[in-house]
Structures are given as C-alpha cells and as structure tokens.
Amino acid sequence: MHLSPRGRLAPLAALSLATAFGLTACSTGQTSSSGADASVAPVSGKVSITYLQKQGDQQYFVDEAAGAKAKAAELGADLKVVNLGNDANKTVGEVQAAIAQKSNGLIIVVPDPAVGPQVVRTARDAKAALLTSDDQVCATGPSPTECAAGDLVPRIGFSGQQMGQQVGQRAAEEFKKAGWNAADTRIISAWKQDVTVCGDRVKAARAAFDQAAPGVQDIDVATDNTPTGAQDKVAATITANAGVKHWVVWGCNDENVQGAVTALQNAGVSPDDIDGVGLGAYLACKDWTSGKPSGMKAALFINGKDVGALSVQTMYDKLKNGKDFPKEAFAPTKMVDAATWQSAGVSCS
C-alpha cells in the first residue's frame, strides 16, 4: 500500500518479497529509515522481540500471535506477546516495560493512533527497532491521515485499497444477482472513523461497488469496530430509514458487518434482503456453521497468521542482518463464502 503525503492510498507497486516461510508478500519496493529504527544496531546474540497487540482476544489477533510465535520459534528468536486490549493508556507503559526487559525490537498494533508519537519517542530513545502491524502510526502527530509519508512508521499488514476493492466487487455481484433496485436499497458502511486503514477499506469498497452497480445511496455509520457497537449504531440507522427494502453491508472488519447484519435481522429484515460482505471471515464463518439463513453472504479472508509471521521475519531481518524495513509489506487475501471458507483454511473457533 503506497502512501501519498496525506496518508491516502495510491496504486500498489508490483513487487514481491518471497519470505522464508513460504508466503508471497507484496511490498511498495521502498525501504524506510524513518520511525524509530534509524539508529538501531544489529544484534549479535539472540534476538528478543515484543509483539504488542490491541484486542488480543479477537480471533484475528489470536491468529496473528500464533503466526508470530511459530515464526519466532523457526528463527530461534525470543518473542513475548502482550495484549493491550483497547487501553491506549496501557500502551506506553507496556512499551517501556518491553524496553526495560531488553527487547531489541517492538512490533505494535496500537489501540489508538494518538499514542503513536509517544511510542515512537520511547522506542527511539531506547534505540529499539519499531515496526507496526495492521494499523498505521505517525511519528509526529496523532493522526496518520495527516502525516507526511516519511513520518509514517513502517507497517506490515494488508492493502486497504485492495481489500476494499474485493469487498465492493463481491457486494456488487450479490446485489446484481439478487435483482434489487437501487431506489429501494441502501448501503451501510460501518467503521471506526479515526482509524486510517478502515477509511481506506470502505472508500475503496464504495468505489468498486459504484463502478459495477452505480446509484445506490450510502449511509456512513461511525462505530467502535466491535459487533455490539456496530449493532447499536445500525439499529438507529434502520429506524431512520424505514422504507428501505434491501441492505448492502460492509465495514472495516467482520465485527462491523456481523453487528450490522444482526441489527437488521433483529429488526425483521429477511436474510434474503441483506447483502453483507465481511472482512476477516473469522466471524462470518460462525454464521455459516449454524446452517441457518444469514445475511452474511461472503467475507474476505485475511489470515492473521500470515501478518504475524511476516512481521516477525521483517523485524528479525532488520535486527540480525541490518536489512532496512520496507515502508509497507502486505500479506495475501482471499474471498470466501459458506461453500468455500473451510477449504480456504479459515479458523472458526
């Protein structure tokens, strides 16, 4: 995901990184000495890494931690995983604790991008390498969307633009297959609006949908990226749009889509009148295992294990071999549905 100075997505450069764990990851092809890694010295002994994650009990991040641990074991590196939950205040304290415990490198998914500058300063002062996964962090300000490209901390994750395109395209396919009219259909686009990658995803979904099926009105719903948060906000949206017959739903993650679909079905909307396309597939699959009709028609499978493994490999290469971080590197994705999710390897516990 190549970023312009405003932090928005531009077309992805076509370069592949063949990693040691058999995953083909896409990179912008640019390297970075920004963030907190410019003065980091190579490690001669055993590499020690701390992986700090928001929402560590969410299935995606559980998988991410598992992939990170497996890769660390393969490389012979020490790895500690820390669950930050949704507590932004806990973040800096855990970063300081990791440094006190002599971690050479920190990989972080911040609960709130506003803590980014303090995290960067703390790592930089300790001469610890810093890499983000999933969400962007700006070294100089609280908002990655307003960050100069050179001040964004190197990131491992997925391309928000590509993910959004796939979601929008599949939603349009389902819309046309159902034979719905634009006049009595609405799109619910649900996401936490201060998270840059979320905005990237829903914006790209809308553009892809419009290209294939123009004319459907969009309703933006601000959420906290949780199922219950999305469900509550979407319930109010349904009440305010009583005449709508059909609903297209997408969002930043599976949580938003599942919450929205649940709100619609609780309001008496038939699953046949809901075109939900998730992002993650780790919650969508639970709808499909029930055997009951669901408004969740498909989901983009993003494998947290791949991101965790690629993050650890990238950090290890920096610490052990002095290899510069790429500005961004991406793991692959795959669209799945009720018929294909199991064969694709989706974890549904």
Side-chain angles (χ1 to χ4, degrees):
M1 193 183 340
H2 183 65
L3 293 160
S4 72
R6 297 293 292 176
R8 296 299 183 190
L9 287 162
L12 178 68
L15 181 69
S16 295
L17 295 174
T19 63
F21 50 89
L23 171 70
T24 300
C26 295
S27 165
T28 60
Q30 295 176 303
T31 58
S32 174
S33 59
S34 63
D37 69 314
S39 60
V40 176
V43 176
S44 58
K46 194 169 190 178
V47 169
S48 176
I49 301 169
T50 301
Y51 208 131
L52 304 103
Q53 301 174 301
K54 70 177 183 182
Q55 299 173 310
D57 57 350
Q58 184 196 87
Q59 186 60 53
Y60 170 82
F61 291 114
V62 171
D63 291 343
E64 184 176 74
K69 290 173 183 176
K71 175 53 63 176
E74 176 190 323
L75 296 171
D78 285 334
L79 177 73
K80 179 181 180 181
V81 176
V82 178
N83 179 11
L84 300 173
N86 287 308
D87 190 348
N89 294 325
K90 183 179 179 181
T91 304
V92 175
E94 291 291 353
V95 168
Q96 292 170 336
I99 290 169
Q101 294 164 10
K102 308 300 183 185
S103 278
N104 307 119
L106 310 174
I107 305 168
I108 189 165
V109 194
V110 293
D112 185 335
V115 302
Q118 192 172 357
V119 168
V120 171
R121 285 194 301 271
T122 303
R124 184 177 287 159
D125 290 346
K127 293 182 171 53
L130 179 65
L131 181 66
T132 67
S133 72
D134 304 292
D135 298 343
Q136 289 175 321
V137 167
C138 181
T140 55
S143 175
T145 61
E146 299 174 356
C147 193
D151 291 328
L152 289 167
V153 177
R155 183 181 79 92
I156 307 297
F158 297 99
S159 166
Q161 184 182 45
Q162 289 183 336
M163 288 193 295
Q165 286 174 344
Q166 290 175 275
V167 167
Q169 287 166 355
R170 181 57 181 261
E173 289 174 16
E174 297 291 339
F175 170 82
K176 291 192 286 189
K177 183 169 67 176
W180 297 346
N181 294 317
D184 56 14
T185 302
R186 295 292 183 273
I187 297 168
I188 290 176
S189 183
W191 80 102
K192 192 172 188 292
Q193 296 183 353
D194 62 349
V195 177
T196 314
V197 294
C198 288
D200 293 337
R201 295 170 190 179
V202 298
K203 181 179 178 182
R206 176 75 220 209
F209 187 93
D210 283 349
Q211 186 173 13
V216 182
Q217 292 185 30
D218 185 17
I219 302 171
D220 291 340
V221 179
T223 75
D224 60 0
N225 276 355
T226 68
T228 54
Q231 183 176 338
D232 291 344
K233 293 296 181 69
V234 170
T237 301
I238 298 166
T239 302
N241 293 270
V244 176
K245 293 182 181 179
H246 313 293
W247 296 89
V248 178
V249 182
W250 60 63
C252 181
N253 54 18
D254 257 21
E255 283 79 0
N256 280 289
V257 181
Q258 187 192 61
V261 168
T262 300
L264 288 163
Q265 294 182 176
N266 287 350
V269 179
S270 167
D272 291 340
D273 292 317
I274 304 170
D275 170 13
V277 180
L279 205 161
Y282 46 84
L283 294 182
C285 64
K286 294 182 179 181
D287 286 4
W288 301 328
T289 58
S290 70
K292 299 177 182 178
S294 171
M296 188 79 80
K297 297 300 190 290
L300 188 67
F301 177 32
I302 57 174
N303 193 342
K305 291 181 181 179
D306 291 344
V307 173
L310 181 56
S311 296
V312 169
Q313 181 72 60
T314 303
M315 178 62 75
Y316 183 87
D317 287 343
K318 169 68 177 176
L319 294 172
K320 201 67 177 175
N321 305 318
K323 183 177 179 181
D324 286 341
F325 289 141
K327 286 184 177 294
E328 289 187 306
F330 308 125
T333 58
K334 180 180 179 65
M335 188 63 69
V336 297
D337 54 29
T340 62
W341 68 270
Q342 288 176 301
S343 61
V346 177
S347 176
C348 199
S349 56

